[in-house]
Amino acid sequence: MQDPTNLNDQFAARSGFSPAEMLACLKCGKPNAPTRVNCLYCAAELENLSTGGEAGRLDLTPPEPHENGFSVIILPGARGEARPAAAVLGRSVDEVGKIVAAGVPFPVARVRNAEIAATLVAHLSNFGFSCATLADPELDVKTPPRRIRGIEFMTDRLRMFDFNTTAVFEASVDDIRLLAAGRHAVSRSTTSENLKRGKADTKKPEESKDQRDEKMLDVYVTGDERGYRIRTSGFDFSCLGEAKTMFASENIDLLAERIKELRAGIVLDSRYNDVRDLLDPVWEPDFHREAQGLHRSGLGRLSKQASDVFDNLNQFTKYSRMRNHLL
């Protein structure tokens, strides 16, 4: 079966329209010239999908960074038609197949308003998919889960100790519902440019790279949508007793299994690390530049430094919160 994304490029080249201008047929998924009313291949009517009135094209432009948006999520279980869904979403058939195969709720678009989200959900439903919509405030990355520094296993509950204060939280074993495992990855690329009398040196700037990767585990209980977060750093794994190892990365996995075994209904989701790349087109990792000013690089020498920083923390928080909302 031919990928409609490639077919779109080929047809666009022949028709004189750009790939972005082509209209996807919602029945067969094939591209059509924007001047057509009916599909060239199956004769289906090219429906009006956008708020702007253009036939056959849904405006999936994401909101501006300062605006709230709506995430459209494909739910697991339904066997929908990947080909027309891929054409509407602007993804490849292979990507849609991987999203369905992931077996977890998965965001496929983040759009500017509820009307566009509802329209997209309606058409994905026509293709056989079950969908849900979550607004940005429901994912609430500005209020991350509470970080905890230790856990005490009690007879019928967990006692959790806040990382930054003396606060203690208790949760009944019956209320523990979800454990979401993931990684916090930070990559920093720093360039250093030597200056001569306030002007840039003609030599190529020096570049250094630093990468950090840390396992995390989010714990959600009934009635508390914020949740609790465990990091490998700064956590006391003595609660594992004799099972504790010398390596924090092993201990956090053991802790997740220990909590999961407390009750049969607790869900442990470890899929984030496997599907992270597929999340990027919808929930982009944070990327920003940090200007670090002037630094002394030797006797009488100054250098100007700046860093490009990649950080996936907010992306994981969105995934974690989504799993809790849709459990």
Side-chain angles (χ1 to χ4, degrees):
M1 183 179 294
Q2 193 169 17
D3 187 337
T5 305
N6 297 332
L7 188 63
N8 197 28
D9 293 340
Q10 296 169 13
F11 189 89
R14 295 197 304 268
S15 65
F17 296 101
S18 71
E21 293 176 306
M22 303 303 290
L23 309 181
C25 173
L26 295 180
K27 182 176 181 181
C28 69
K30 293 183 179 179
N32 286 265
T35 52
R36 295 193 62 84
V37 176
N38 295 88
C39 177
L40 177 66
Y41 303 93
C42 69
E45 183 179 355
L46 297 176
E47 299 181 36
N48 187 335
L49 294 183
S50 72
T51 56
E54 289 182 278
R57 187 183 297 113
L58 183 59
D59 184 4
L60 300 183
T61 305
E64 296 294 328
H66 63 279
E67 296 176 330
N68 283 326
F70 294 80
S71 295
V72 174
I73 297 155
I74 287 181
L75 302 177
R79 292 187 174 275
E81 300 177 60
R83 184 173 176 176
V88 170
L89 294 170
R91 307 285 288 265
S92 70
V93 173
D94 181 59
E95 284 181 309
V96 174
K98 289 178 179 178
I99 287 170
V100 174
V104 294
F106 214 97
V108 291
R110 180 171 172 263
V111 297
R112 291 175 295 179
N113 58 57
E115 291 74 21
I116 297 176
T119 302
L120 179 57
V121 167
H123 287 285
L124 290 174
S125 298
N126 288 339
F127 303 149
F129 294 100
S130 297
C131 300
T133 301
L134 288 176
D136 283 356
E138 295 177 279
L139 302 174
D140 193 16
V141 296
K142 295 180 180 179
T143 309
R146 307 171 187 88
R147 186 176 177 183
I148 58 176
R149 57 182 169 83
I151 282 179
E152 182 181 350
F153 289 94
M154 306 178 72
T155 304
D156 59 350
R157 61 187 55 245
L158 281 186
R159 178 174 289 168
M160 298 175 284
F161 303 92
D162 188 80
F163 185 84
N164 295 307
T165 70
T166 58
V168 178
F169 311 101
E170 290 193 1
S172 168
V173 169
D174 291 335
D175 288 336
I176 302 172
R177 51 191 268 118
L178 172 68
L179 306 172
R183 288 180 178 272
H184 180 198
V186 180
S187 175
R188 182 184 297 271
S189 178
T190 302
T191 56
S192 179
E193 186 177 19
N194 292 325
L195 301 177
K196 287 185 177 180
R197 296 182 180 180
K199 297 182 180 180
D201 197 340
T202 55
K203 293 182 180 179
K204 184 179 180 180
E206 297 179 359
E207 184 175 351
S208 61
K209 293 186 178 181
D210 176 53
Q211 293 184 333
R212 289 180 292 142
D213 194 297
E214 180 182 19
K215 285 185 177 181
M216 297 187 297
L217 180 69
D218 285 355
V219 181
Y220 289 95
V221 301
T222 301
D224 183 356
E225 295 181 351
R226 183 175 178 183
Y228 304 89
R229 176 162 289 167
I230 299 167
R231 290 177 173 269
T232 52
S233 61
F235 187 85
D236 180 6
F237 288 102
S238 60
C239 58
L240 293 173
E242 295 182 356
K244 178 184 174 183
T245 74
M246 296 177 60
F247 304 102
S249 61
E250 293 179 358
N251 288 330
I252 197 169
D253 294 338
L254 292 171
L255 180 62
E257 291 294 337
R258 173 79 183 274
I259 297 174
K260 183 179 183 297
E261 291 171 358
L262 293 175
R263 184 173 63 84
I266 298 175
V267 174
L268 172 58
D269 181 348
S270 303
R271 295 290 292 151
Y272 172 76
N273 298 328
D274 298 326
V275 301
R276 200 165 75 185
D277 290 344
L278 288 171
L279 290 170
D280 289 353
V282 179
W283 291 340
E284 294 182 4
D286 295 328
F287 181 83
H288 63 275
R289 167 159 283 225
E290 295 178 354
Q292 298 173 338
L294 298 178
H295 295 259
R296 292 194 177 276
S297 56
L299 184 61
R301 293 184 178 182
L302 292 175
S303 64
K304 182 173 62 175
Q305 294 185 354
S307 297
D308 292 326
V309 181
F310 163 95
D311 192 324
N312 76 325
L313 183 60
N314 285 343
Q315 184 190 71
F316 173 67
T317 298
K318 289 179 182 179
Y319 180 85
S320 170
R321 291 266 168 81
M322 173 195 70
R323 291 293 284 120
N324 183 50
H325 274 286
L326 300 179
L327 189 62

